[in-house]
DNA sequence: CGGTACATGTAATCTGTTACATGATTCA
DNA sequence: TGAATCATGTAACAGATTACATGTACCG
């Protein structure tokens, strides 16, 4: 039930097309909430009929016409209400852990491979997060309230990746012993 | 696409009813993969028509009749194949981070409340994991291969909760400064 | 007498994924 | 000439959530 709120959130900073929204959901906000363009276009229609966003059609030369969405007062209010409401915890799902419950029935090598592969993914992702951190959030205390929020999301990502990476190392050591 | 494999995995150790499976998905395996009883009963039917599990109907006195499911050789093989196949990473979704992107538009107090509440959830969950760890996995090196796998899942949960807890503390410090 | 455990389901809805569809422009 | 970017959509299907539905036995 939070894709609509993620969309409204992306529209706080700037008016965007569905296409541009889909790109946002590949980076930044997208590190913590993903959505395909199909989902986004579907949701934009819903939000529009509910009066939470407004559309402006823009004709372009040489490019397809586009529909630029912006927050309405209704939408802004709905978003604020949602932000202040309780925040349920999502259940995390990871196939890797189900696979671990199968240890003993498959060759150890295939488990080690899966963990080593996962380890590499965490290394890359962590490097990306750290790069963004150094580039844009070197002095957290001096940031505006809004940027502190964005920074804290990034920091959460960093802590998650570090923890996952630590676990991979520990798992490899235990299984190779 | 992994609920069926999670079910097959639970059936490795013991034959179970749909009801008992649903309970497993509240603890143990359920820490890493959740499913409601509705999903489970639906999936059991599917797995049965595919020949991956067998059923035995058991009449009981004073209690409803039950259907006890067990792995077939086909199911066991399908599970092994899946375990050795590549493991995609799930996208993590957390509303709390979308809310953080809204900082500056709502009272700081409500953010602090949300983070403090989340902090408390991590404290409880971590305590639970640690209790299980001390009770059943005090000496990881001495465990059987299968139990090492189960233990490593638990350890992953511990590392996740620790990281999340650390982040909560850091966030509260930055926002209160 | 009320709640919990046991035990299994259907129906409706919502969310997410995959596949299909179109079409111009820019860059290598 | 072929790939990538911009731009918006439909359709089908799969997966997850919520609500509804039934009925016994045991414990306090």
């Amino acid at each position: 039930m939070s894709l609509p709120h993620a969309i409204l959130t992306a529209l706080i900073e700037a008016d965007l097309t569905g296409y541009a929204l889909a790109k946002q959901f590949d980076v930044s906000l997208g590190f913590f909430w993903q959505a395909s363009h199909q989902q986004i276009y579907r949701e934009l229609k819903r939000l529009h009929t509910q009066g939470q966003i407004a559309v402006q059609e823009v004709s372009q030369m040489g490019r397809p016409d586009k529909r630029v969405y912006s927050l309405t007062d209704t939408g802004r209010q709905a978003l604020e209400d949602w932000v202040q409401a309780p925040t349920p915890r999502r259940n995390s799902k990871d196939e890797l852990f189900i696979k671990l419950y199968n240890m003993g029935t498959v060759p150890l090598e295939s488990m080690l491979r899966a963990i080593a592969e996962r380890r590499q993914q965490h290394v890359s992702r962590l490097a990306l997060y750290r790069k963004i951190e150094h580039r844009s959030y070197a002095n957290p205390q001096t940031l505006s309230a809004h940027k502190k929020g964005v920074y804290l999301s990034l920091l959460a990502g960093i802590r998650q990746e570090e923890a996952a990476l630590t676990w991979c190392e520990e798992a490899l050591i235990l299984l190779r012993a």
Side-chain angles (χ1 to χ4, degrees), chain A residues 1 3 33 36 38-39 42 46 62 64:
Chain A
M1 239 316 269
L3 176 56
W33 203 276
S36 61
Q38 292 90 335
Q39 273 179 284
R42 194 206 281 157
R46 231 176 275 176

PDB file of all heavy atoms in Angstrom, chain A residues 1 3 33 36 38-39 42 46 62 64, chain C residues 15-21 23-25:
ATOM      1  N   MET A   1       0.823  -1.227   0.000  1.00  0.00           N
ATOM      2  CA  MET A   1       0.000   0.000   0.000  1.00  0.00           C
ATOM      3  C   MET A   1       0.852   1.269   0.000  1.00  0.00           C
ATOM      4  O   MET A   1       0.368   2.342   0.345  1.00  0.00           O
ATOM      5  CB  MET A   1      -0.903  -0.008   1.253  1.00  0.00           C
ATOM      6  CG  MET A   1      -2.390   0.048   0.941  1.00  0.00           C
ATOM      7  SD  MET A   1      -2.848   1.232  -0.338  1.00  0.00           S
ATOM      8  CE  MET A   1      -3.171   2.712   0.637  1.00  0.00           C
ATOM      9  N   LEU A   3       3.218   2.301  -2.626  1.00  0.00           N
ATOM     10  CA  LEU A   3       3.691   2.860  -3.889  1.00  0.00           C
ATOM     11  C   LEU A   3       3.120   4.256  -4.115  1.00  0.00           C
ATOM     12  O   LEU A   3       3.855   5.164  -4.492  1.00  0.00           O
ATOM     13  CB  LEU A   3       3.345   1.912  -5.045  1.00  0.00           C
ATOM     14  CG  LEU A   3       3.705   2.430  -6.431  1.00  0.00           C
ATOM     15  CD1 LEU A   3       5.173   2.792  -6.527  1.00  0.00           C
ATOM     16  CD2 LEU A   3       3.344   1.419  -7.488  1.00  0.00           C
ATOM     17  N   TRP A  33      12.704   1.504  -2.439  1.00  0.00           N
ATOM     18  CA  TRP A  33      11.376   1.155  -2.946  1.00  0.00           C
ATOM     19  C   TRP A  33      11.434   1.064  -4.459  1.00  0.00           C
ATOM     20  O   TRP A  33      11.731   2.054  -5.118  1.00  0.00           O
ATOM     21  CB  TRP A  33      10.315   2.189  -2.522  1.00  0.00           C
ATOM     22  CG  TRP A  33       8.969   1.568  -2.560  1.00  0.00           C
ATOM     23  CD1 TRP A  33       8.151   1.431  -3.649  1.00  0.00           C
ATOM     24  CD2 TRP A  33       8.287   0.940  -1.477  1.00  0.00           C
ATOM     25  NE1 TRP A  33       7.023   0.750  -3.304  1.00  0.00           N
ATOM     26  CE2 TRP A  33       7.076   0.446  -1.981  1.00  0.00           C
ATOM     27  CE3 TRP A  33       8.600   0.746  -0.129  1.00  0.00           C
ATOM     28  CZ2 TRP A  33       6.171  -0.232  -1.170  1.00  0.00           C
ATOM     29  CZ3 TRP A  33       7.698   0.075   0.667  1.00  0.00           C
ATOM     30  CH2 TRP A  33       6.498  -0.400   0.145  1.00  0.00           C
ATOM     31  N   SER A  36       8.141  -0.768 -11.319  1.00  0.00           N
ATOM     32  CA  SER A  36       8.314  -0.781 -12.770  1.00  0.00           C
ATOM     33  C   SER A  36       7.466   0.334 -13.391  1.00  0.00           C
ATOM     34  O   SER A  36       6.559   0.863 -12.739  1.00  0.00           O
ATOM     35  CB  SER A  36       7.873  -2.125 -13.326  1.00  0.00           C
ATOM     36  OG  SER A  36       6.503  -2.331 -13.028  1.00  0.00           O
ATOM     37  N   GLN A  38       5.217   0.072 -15.530  1.00  0.00           N
ATOM     38  CA  GLN A  38       3.825  -0.376 -15.621  1.00  0.00           C
ATOM     39  C   GLN A  38       3.062  -0.072 -14.344  1.00  0.00           C
ATOM     40  O   GLN A  38       1.923   0.381 -14.369  1.00  0.00           O
ATOM     41  CB  GLN A  38       3.754  -1.874 -15.897  1.00  0.00           C
ATOM     42  CG  GLN A  38       4.248  -2.303 -17.263  1.00  0.00           C
ATOM     43  CD  GLN A  38       5.715  -2.631 -17.268  1.00  0.00           C
ATOM     44  OE1 GLN A  38       6.480  -2.134 -16.441  1.00  0.00           O
ATOM     45  NE2 GLN A  38       6.133  -3.462 -18.201  1.00  0.00           N
ATOM     46  N   GLN A  39       3.706  -0.347 -13.229  1.00  0.00           N
ATOM     47  CA  GLN A  39       3.076  -0.058 -11.932  1.00  0.00           C
ATOM     48  C   GLN A  39       2.866   1.435 -11.766  1.00  0.00           C
ATOM     49  O   GLN A  39       1.835   1.883 -11.266  1.00  0.00           O
ATOM     50  CB  GLN A  39       3.987  -0.513 -10.792  1.00  0.00           C
ATOM     51  CG  GLN A  39       3.831  -1.928 -10.362  1.00  0.00           C
ATOM     52  CD  GLN A  39       4.807  -2.237  -9.243  1.00  0.00           C
ATOM     53  OE1 GLN A  39       5.999  -2.410  -9.501  1.00  0.00           O
ATOM     54  NE2 GLN A  39       4.330  -2.286  -8.023  1.00  0.00           N
ATOM     55  N   ARG A  42       0.028   2.918 -13.890  1.00  0.00           N
ATOM     56  CA  ARG A  42      -1.247   2.483 -13.335  1.00  0.00           C
ATOM     57  C   ARG A  42      -1.602   3.324 -12.105  1.00  0.00           C
ATOM     58  O   ARG A  42      -2.722   3.790 -11.943  1.00  0.00           O
ATOM     59  CB  ARG A  42      -1.135   0.998 -12.946  1.00  0.00           C
ATOM     60  CG  ARG A  42      -2.462   0.316 -12.678  1.00  0.00           C
ATOM     61  CD  ARG A  42      -2.254  -0.846 -11.718  1.00  0.00           C
ATOM     62  NE  ARG A  42      -1.722  -2.034 -12.371  1.00  0.00           N
ATOM     63  CZ  ARG A  42      -1.055  -3.001 -11.742  1.00  0.00           C
ATOM     64  NH1 ARG A  42      -0.826  -2.900 -10.440  1.00  0.00           N
ATOM     65  NH2 ARG A  42      -0.611  -4.043 -12.380  1.00  0.00           N
ATOM     66  N   ARG A  46      -4.615   6.273 -10.934  1.00  0.00           N
ATOM     67  CA  ARG A  46      -5.392   6.163  -9.705  1.00  0.00           C
ATOM     68  C   ARG A  46      -5.292   7.459  -8.879  1.00  0.00           C
ATOM     69  O   ARG A  46      -6.304   8.007  -8.453  1.00  0.00           O
ATOM     70  CB  ARG A  46      -4.861   4.977  -8.882  1.00  0.00           C
ATOM     71  CG  ARG A  46      -5.943   4.006  -8.448  1.00  0.00           C
ATOM     72  CD  ARG A  46      -5.344   2.796  -7.730  1.00  0.00           C
ATOM     73  NE  ARG A  46      -4.897   1.751  -8.651  1.00  0.00           N
ATOM     74  CZ  ARG A  46      -4.274   0.628  -8.264  1.00  0.00           C
ATOM     75  NH1 ARG A  46      -4.024   0.409  -6.986  1.00  0.00           N
ATOM     76  NH2 ARG A  46      -3.908  -0.276  -9.157  1.00  0.00           N
ATOM     77  N   GLY A  62       9.732  16.632 -31.918  1.00  0.00           N
ATOM     78  CA  GLY A  62      10.757  15.613 -32.097  1.00  0.00           C
ATOM     79  C   GLY A  62      10.704  14.534 -31.033  1.00  0.00           C
ATOM     80  O   GLY A  62      11.377  13.515 -31.124  1.00  0.00           O
ATOM     81  N   PRO A  64       7.964  12.400 -28.041  1.00  0.00           N
ATOM     82  CA  PRO A  64       6.558  12.145 -27.741  1.00  0.00           C
ATOM     83  C   PRO A  64       6.018  13.192 -26.774  1.00  0.00           C
ATOM     84  O   PRO A  64       6.780  13.736 -25.978  1.00  0.00           O
ATOM     85  CB  PRO A  64       6.586  10.773 -27.067  1.00  0.00           C
ATOM     86  CG  PRO A  64       7.900  10.178 -27.370  1.00  0.00           C
ATOM     87  CD  PRO A  64       8.842  11.295 -27.659  1.00  0.00           C
TER      88      PRO A  64
ATOM     89  P    DT C  15      -2.384  -1.865  -3.392  1.00  0.00           P
ATOM     90  OP1  DT C  15      -2.092  -1.118  -2.153  1.00  0.00           O
ATOM     91  OP2  DT C  15      -2.803  -1.160  -4.629  1.00  0.00           O
ATOM     92  O5'  DT C  15      -1.106  -2.751  -3.745  1.00  0.00           O
ATOM     93  C5'  DT C  15      -0.830  -3.945  -3.047  1.00  0.00           C
ATOM     94  C4'  DT C  15       0.303  -4.677  -3.738  1.00  0.00           C
ATOM     95  O4'  DT C  15      -0.212  -5.684  -4.634  1.00  0.00           O
ATOM     96  C3'  DT C  15       1.246  -3.800  -4.549  1.00  0.00           C
ATOM     97  O3'  DT C  15       2.565  -4.159  -4.144  1.00  0.00           O
ATOM     98  C2'  DT C  15       0.898  -4.151  -6.008  1.00  0.00           C
ATOM     99  C1'  DT C  15       0.437  -5.599  -5.876  1.00  0.00           C
ATOM    100  N1   DT C  15      -0.536  -6.140  -6.880  1.00  0.00           N
ATOM    101  C2   DT C  15      -0.307  -7.413  -7.372  1.00  0.00           C
ATOM    102  O2   DT C  15       0.653  -8.092  -7.033  1.00  0.00           O
ATOM    103  N3   DT C  15      -1.241  -7.880  -8.260  1.00  0.00           N
ATOM    104  C4   DT C  15      -2.361  -7.215  -8.703  1.00  0.00           C
ATOM    105  O4   DT C  15      -3.127  -7.754  -9.492  1.00  0.00           O
ATOM    106  C5   DT C  15      -2.549  -5.883  -8.163  1.00  0.00           C
ATOM    107  C7   DT C  15      -3.728  -5.084  -8.601  1.00  0.00           C
ATOM    108  C6   DT C  15      -1.637  -5.420  -7.294  1.00  0.00           C
ATOM    109  P    DG C  16       3.892  -3.612  -4.824  1.00  0.00           P
ATOM    110  OP1  DG C  16       4.941  -3.596  -3.787  1.00  0.00           O
ATOM    111  OP2  DG C  16       3.566  -2.390  -5.595  1.00  0.00           O
ATOM    112  O5'  DG C  16       4.237  -4.763  -5.866  1.00  0.00           O
ATOM    113  C5'  DG C  16       4.449  -6.094  -5.426  1.00  0.00           C
ATOM    114  C4'  DG C  16       4.888  -6.942  -6.601  1.00  0.00           C
ATOM    115  O4'  DG C  16       3.750  -7.260  -7.411  1.00  0.00           O
ATOM    116  C3'  DG C  16       5.919  -6.283  -7.521  1.00  0.00           C
ATOM    117  O3'  DG C  16       6.978  -7.231  -7.674  1.00  0.00           O
ATOM    118  C2'  DG C  16       5.152  -6.005  -8.811  1.00  0.00           C
ATOM    119  C1'  DG C  16       4.061  -7.058  -8.783  1.00  0.00           C
ATOM    120  N9   DG C  16       2.783  -6.737  -9.432  1.00  0.00           N
ATOM    121  C8   DG C  16       2.012  -5.615  -9.268  1.00  0.00           C
ATOM    122  N7   DG C  16       0.894  -5.642  -9.959  1.00  0.00           N
ATOM    123  C5   DG C  16       0.938  -6.860 -10.622  1.00  0.00           C
ATOM    124  C6   DG C  16       0.011  -7.451 -11.511  1.00  0.00           C
ATOM    125  O6   DG C  16      -1.072  -7.005 -11.911  1.00  0.00           O
ATOM    126  N1   DG C  16       0.448  -8.688 -11.963  1.00  0.00           N
ATOM    127  C2   DG C  16       1.634  -9.290 -11.589  1.00  0.00           C
ATOM    128  N2   DG C  16       1.896 -10.478 -12.110  1.00  0.00           N
ATOM    129  N3   DG C  16       2.498  -8.755 -10.746  1.00  0.00           N
ATOM    130  C4   DG C  16       2.097  -7.545 -10.305  1.00  0.00           C
ATOM    131  P    DT C  17       8.184  -6.996  -8.724  1.00  0.00           P
ATOM    132  OP1  DT C  17       9.365  -7.646  -8.147  1.00  0.00           O
ATOM    133  OP2  DT C  17       8.227  -5.571  -9.142  1.00  0.00           O
ATOM    134  O5'  DT C  17       7.715  -7.861  -9.973  1.00  0.00           O
ATOM    135  C5'  DT C  17       7.485  -9.263  -9.789  1.00  0.00           C
ATOM    136  C4'  DT C  17       7.239  -9.914 -11.129  1.00  0.00           C
ATOM    137  O4'  DT C  17       5.956  -9.510 -11.639  1.00  0.00           O
ATOM    138  C3'  DT C  17       8.267  -9.562 -12.209  1.00  0.00           C
ATOM    139  O3'  DT C  17       8.759 -10.807 -12.705  1.00  0.00           O
ATOM    140  C2'  DT C  17       7.473  -8.729 -13.223  1.00  0.00           C
ATOM    141  C1'  DT C  17       6.047  -9.229 -13.024  1.00  0.00           C
ATOM    142  N1   DT C  17       4.941  -8.269 -13.298  1.00  0.00           N
ATOM    143  C2   DT C  17       3.898  -8.669 -14.112  1.00  0.00           C
ATOM    144  O2   DT C  17       3.852  -9.768 -14.644  1.00  0.00           O
ATOM    145  N3   DT C  17       2.890  -7.740 -14.260  1.00  0.00           N
ATOM    146  C4   DT C  17       2.831  -6.482 -13.702  1.00  0.00           C
ATOM    147  O4   DT C  17       1.866  -5.750 -13.912  1.00  0.00           O
ATOM    148  C5   DT C  17       3.957  -6.111 -12.879  1.00  0.00           C
ATOM    149  C7   DT C  17       3.985  -4.761 -12.227  1.00  0.00           C
ATOM    150  C6   DT C  17       4.946  -7.020 -12.708  1.00  0.00           C
ATOM    151  P    DT C  18       9.867 -10.885 -13.850  1.00  0.00           P
ATOM    152  OP1  DT C  18      10.675 -12.100 -13.575  1.00  0.00           O
ATOM    153  OP2  DT C  18      10.507  -9.561 -13.970  1.00  0.00           O
ATOM    154  O5'  DT C  18       9.020 -11.146 -15.178  1.00  0.00           O
ATOM    155  C5'  DT C  18       7.972 -12.110 -15.190  1.00  0.00           C
ATOM    156  C4'  DT C  18       7.336 -12.144 -16.561  1.00  0.00           C
ATOM    157  O4'  DT C  18       6.258 -11.187 -16.640  1.00  0.00           O
ATOM    158  C3'  DT C  18       8.274 -11.834 -17.722  1.00  0.00           C
ATOM    159  O3'  DT C  18       8.094 -12.880 -18.686  1.00  0.00           O
ATOM    160  C2'  DT C  18       7.834 -10.461 -18.213  1.00  0.00           C
ATOM    161  C1'  DT C  18       6.361 -10.437 -17.836  1.00  0.00           C
ATOM    162  N1   DT C  18       5.757  -9.104 -17.513  1.00  0.00           N
ATOM    163  C2   DT C  18       4.462  -8.866 -17.925  1.00  0.00           C
ATOM    164  O2   DT C  18       3.804  -9.674 -18.568  1.00  0.00           O
ATOM    165  N3   DT C  18       3.962  -7.642 -17.559  1.00  0.00           N
ATOM    166  C4   DT C  18       4.603  -6.649 -16.835  1.00  0.00           C
ATOM    167  O4   DT C  18       4.027  -5.599 -16.576  1.00  0.00           O
ATOM    168  C5   DT C  18       5.962  -6.961 -16.433  1.00  0.00           C
ATOM    169  C7   DT C  18       6.736  -5.959 -15.634  1.00  0.00           C
ATOM    170  C6   DT C  18       6.461  -8.160 -16.785  1.00  0.00           C
ATOM    171  P    DA C  19       8.947 -12.882 -20.071  1.00  0.00           P
ATOM    172  OP1  DA C  19       9.257 -14.311 -20.364  1.00  0.00           O
ATOM    173  OP2  DA C  19      10.040 -11.881 -20.039  1.00  0.00           O
ATOM    174  O5'  DA C  19       7.838 -12.388 -21.113  1.00  0.00           O
ATOM    175  C5'  DA C  19       6.492 -12.851 -20.998  1.00  0.00           C
ATOM    176  C4'  DA C  19       5.623 -12.128 -22.000  1.00  0.00           C
ATOM    177  O4'  DA C  19       5.096 -10.907 -21.414  1.00  0.00           O
ATOM    178  C3'  DA C  19       6.357 -11.717 -23.289  1.00  0.00           C
ATOM    179  O3'  DA C  19       5.574 -12.177 -24.378  1.00  0.00           O
ATOM    180  C2'  DA C  19       6.418 -10.190 -23.203  1.00  0.00           C
ATOM    181  C1'  DA C  19       5.175  -9.870 -22.383  1.00  0.00           C
ATOM    182  N9   DA C  19       5.200  -8.593 -21.667  1.00  0.00           N
ATOM    183  C8   DA C  19       6.216  -8.063 -20.914  1.00  0.00           C
ATOM    184  N7   DA C  19       5.935  -6.890 -20.392  1.00  0.00           N
ATOM    185  C5   DA C  19       4.646  -6.621 -20.831  1.00  0.00           C
ATOM    186  C6   DA C  19       3.781  -5.542 -20.633  1.00  0.00           C
ATOM    187  N6   DA C  19       4.081  -4.472 -19.901  1.00  0.00           N
ATOM    188  N1   DA C  19       2.565  -5.598 -21.226  1.00  0.00           N
ATOM    189  C2   DA C  19       2.251  -6.671 -21.960  1.00  0.00           C
ATOM    190  N3   DA C  19       2.980  -7.758 -22.219  1.00  0.00           N
ATOM    191  C4   DA C  19       4.185  -7.665 -21.617  1.00  0.00           C
ATOM    192  P    DC C  20       5.949 -11.859 -25.923  1.00  0.00           P
ATOM    193  OP1  DC C  20       5.418 -12.987 -26.716  1.00  0.00           O
ATOM    194  OP2  DC C  20       7.369 -11.461 -26.000  1.00  0.00           O
ATOM    195  O5'  DC C  20       5.049 -10.569 -26.227  1.00  0.00           O
ATOM    196  C5'  DC C  20       3.626 -10.678 -26.108  1.00  0.00           C
ATOM    197  C4'  DC C  20       2.997  -9.349 -26.443  1.00  0.00           C
ATOM    198  O4'  DC C  20       3.311  -8.368 -25.416  1.00  0.00           O
ATOM    199  C3'  DC C  20       3.492  -8.738 -27.770  1.00  0.00           C
ATOM    200  O3'  DC C  20       2.354  -8.471 -28.576  1.00  0.00           O
ATOM    201  C2'  DC C  20       4.247  -7.482 -27.337  1.00  0.00           C
ATOM    202  C1'  DC C  20       3.539  -7.126 -26.045  1.00  0.00           C
ATOM    203  N1   DC C  20       4.317  -6.266 -25.096  1.00  0.00           N
ATOM    204  C2   DC C  20       3.713  -5.083 -24.608  1.00  0.00           C
ATOM    205  O2   DC C  20       2.573  -4.797 -24.987  1.00  0.00           O
ATOM    206  N3   DC C  20       4.408  -4.307 -23.740  1.00  0.00           N
ATOM    207  C4   DC C  20       5.641  -4.656 -23.359  1.00  0.00           C
ATOM    208  N4   DC C  20       6.271  -3.862 -22.493  1.00  0.00           N
ATOM    209  C5   DC C  20       6.268  -5.851 -23.834  1.00  0.00           C
ATOM    210  C6   DC C  20       5.577  -6.620 -24.696  1.00  0.00           C
ATOM    211  P    DA C  21       2.503  -7.989 -30.083  1.00  0.00           P
ATOM    212  OP1  DA C  21       1.265  -8.349 -30.822  1.00  0.00           O
ATOM    213  OP2  DA C  21       3.839  -8.434 -30.563  1.00  0.00           O
ATOM    214  O5'  DA C  21       2.564  -6.398 -29.879  1.00  0.00           O
ATOM    215  C5'  DA C  21       1.400  -5.694 -29.464  1.00  0.00           C
ATOM    216  C4'  DA C  21       1.701  -4.210 -29.512  1.00  0.00           C
ATOM    217  O4'  DA C  21       2.331  -3.794 -28.271  1.00  0.00           O
ATOM    218  C3'  DA C  21       2.697  -3.796 -30.619  1.00  0.00           C
ATOM    219  O3'  DA C  21       1.990  -3.177 -31.680  1.00  0.00           O
ATOM    220  C2'  DA C  21       3.678  -2.866 -29.928  1.00  0.00           C
ATOM    221  C1'  DA C  21       3.049  -2.620 -28.567  1.00  0.00           C
ATOM    222  N9   DA C  21       4.050  -2.379 -27.525  1.00  0.00           N
ATOM    223  C8   DA C  21       5.096  -3.185 -27.147  1.00  0.00           C
ATOM    224  N7   DA C  21       5.856  -2.673 -26.202  1.00  0.00           N
ATOM    225  C5   DA C  21       5.266  -1.440 -25.940  1.00  0.00           C
ATOM    226  C6   DA C  21       5.581  -0.393 -25.045  1.00  0.00           C
ATOM    227  N6   DA C  21       6.620  -0.432 -24.199  1.00  0.00           N
ATOM    228  N1   DA C  21       4.793   0.704 -25.040  1.00  0.00           N
ATOM    229  C2   DA C  21       3.752   0.754 -25.873  1.00  0.00           C
ATOM    230  N3   DA C  21       3.347  -0.161 -26.758  1.00  0.00           N
ATOM    231  C4   DA C  21       4.158  -1.244 -26.745  1.00  0.00           C
ATOM    232  P    DG C  23       3.382   3.031 -35.081  1.00  0.00           P
ATOM    233  OP1  DG C  23       2.234   3.752 -35.673  1.00  0.00           O
ATOM    234  OP2  DG C  23       4.032   1.923 -35.803  1.00  0.00           O
ATOM    235  O5'  DG C  23       4.514   4.099 -34.729  1.00  0.00           O
ATOM    236  C5'  DG C  23       4.161   5.296 -34.048  1.00  0.00           C
ATOM    237  C4'  DG C  23       5.438   6.017 -33.700  1.00  0.00           C
ATOM    238  O4'  DG C  23       5.993   5.506 -32.465  1.00  0.00           O
ATOM    239  C3'  DG C  23       6.551   5.836 -34.761  1.00  0.00           C
ATOM    240  O3'  DG C  23       7.096   7.092 -35.030  1.00  0.00           O
ATOM    241  C2'  DG C  23       7.542   4.968 -34.033  1.00  0.00           C
ATOM    242  C1'  DG C  23       7.383   5.499 -32.621  1.00  0.00           C
ATOM    243  N9   DG C  23       8.027   4.708 -31.571  1.00  0.00           N
ATOM    244  C8   DG C  23       8.164   3.344 -31.468  1.00  0.00           C
ATOM    245  N7   DG C  23       8.832   2.955 -30.421  1.00  0.00           N
ATOM    246  C5   DG C  23       9.174   4.135 -29.774  1.00  0.00           C
ATOM    247  C6   DG C  23       9.910   4.365 -28.578  1.00  0.00           C
ATOM    248  O6   DG C  23      10.422   3.534 -27.835  1.00  0.00           O
ATOM    249  N1   DG C  23      10.014   5.712 -28.288  1.00  0.00           N
ATOM    250  C2   DG C  23       9.478   6.727 -29.047  1.00  0.00           C
ATOM    251  N2   DG C  23       9.682   7.979 -28.617  1.00  0.00           N
ATOM    252  N3   DG C  23       8.782   6.538 -30.159  1.00  0.00           N
ATOM    253  C4   DG C  23       8.671   5.222 -30.465  1.00  0.00           C
ATOM    254  P    DA C  24       7.752   7.500 -36.401  1.00  0.00           P
ATOM    255  OP1  DA C  24       6.703   8.007 -37.299  1.00  0.00           O
ATOM    256  OP2  DA C  24       8.642   6.402 -36.841  1.00  0.00           O
ATOM    257  O5'  DA C  24       8.658   8.732 -35.950  1.00  0.00           O
ATOM    258  C5'  DA C  24       8.050   9.861 -35.337  1.00  0.00           C
ATOM    259  C4'  DA C  24       9.074  10.510 -34.427  1.00  0.00           C
ATOM    260  O4'  DA C  24       9.365   9.598 -33.350  1.00  0.00           O
ATOM    261  C3'  DA C  24      10.395  10.833 -35.122  1.00  0.00           C
ATOM    262  O3'  DA C  24      10.712  12.208 -34.936  1.00  0.00           O
ATOM    263  C2'  DA C  24      11.415   9.925 -34.455  1.00  0.00           C
ATOM    264  C1'  DA C  24      10.760   9.518 -33.147  1.00  0.00           C
ATOM    265  N9   DA C  24      11.084   8.139 -32.784  1.00  0.00           N
ATOM    266  C8   DA C  24      10.731   6.995 -33.442  1.00  0.00           C
ATOM    267  N7   DA C  24      11.169   5.894 -32.867  1.00  0.00           N
ATOM    268  C5   DA C  24      11.868   6.346 -31.760  1.00  0.00           C
ATOM    269  C6   DA C  24      12.577   5.678 -30.736  1.00  0.00           C
ATOM    270  N6   DA C  24      12.699   4.360 -30.672  1.00  0.00           N
ATOM    271  N1   DA C  24      13.153   6.439 -29.781  1.00  0.00           N
ATOM    272  C2   DA C  24      13.029   7.768 -29.841  1.00  0.00           C
ATOM    273  N3   DA C  24      12.381   8.515 -30.747  1.00  0.00           N
ATOM    274  C4   DA C  24      11.822   7.730 -31.679  1.00  0.00           C
ATOM    275  P    DT C  25      12.047  12.837 -35.539  1.00  0.00           P
ATOM    276  OP1  DT C  25      11.832  14.290 -35.664  1.00  0.00           O
ATOM    277  OP2  DT C  25      12.430  12.024 -36.721  1.00  0.00           O
ATOM    278  O5'  DT C  25      13.119  12.588 -34.397  1.00  0.00           O
ATOM    279  C5'  DT C  25      12.952  13.233 -33.114  1.00  0.00           C
ATOM    280  C4'  DT C  25      14.197  12.973 -32.289  1.00  0.00           C
ATOM    281  O4'  DT C  25      14.294  11.561 -31.982  1.00  0.00           O
ATOM    282  C3'  DT C  25      15.503  13.356 -32.988  1.00  0.00           C
ATOM    283  O3'  DT C  25      16.271  14.118 -32.068  1.00  0.00           O
ATOM    284  C2'  DT C  25      16.152  12.020 -33.316  1.00  0.00           C
ATOM    285  C1'  DT C  25      15.610  11.124 -32.212  1.00  0.00           C
ATOM    286  N1   DT C  25      15.535   9.653 -32.468  1.00  0.00           N
ATOM    287  C2   DT C  25      16.098   8.792 -31.554  1.00  0.00           C
ATOM    288  O2   DT C  25      16.674   9.182 -30.552  1.00  0.00           O
ATOM    289  N3   DT C  25      15.958   7.456 -31.853  1.00  0.00           N
ATOM    290  C4   DT C  25      15.332   6.900 -32.951  1.00  0.00           C
ATOM    291  O4   DT C  25      15.274   5.693 -33.090  1.00  0.00           O
ATOM    292  C5   DT C  25      14.768   7.861 -33.878  1.00  0.00           C
ATOM    293  C7   DT C  25      14.075   7.364 -35.105  1.00  0.00           C
ATOM    294  C6   DT C  25      14.891   9.172 -33.599  1.00  0.00           C
TER     295       DT C  25
END
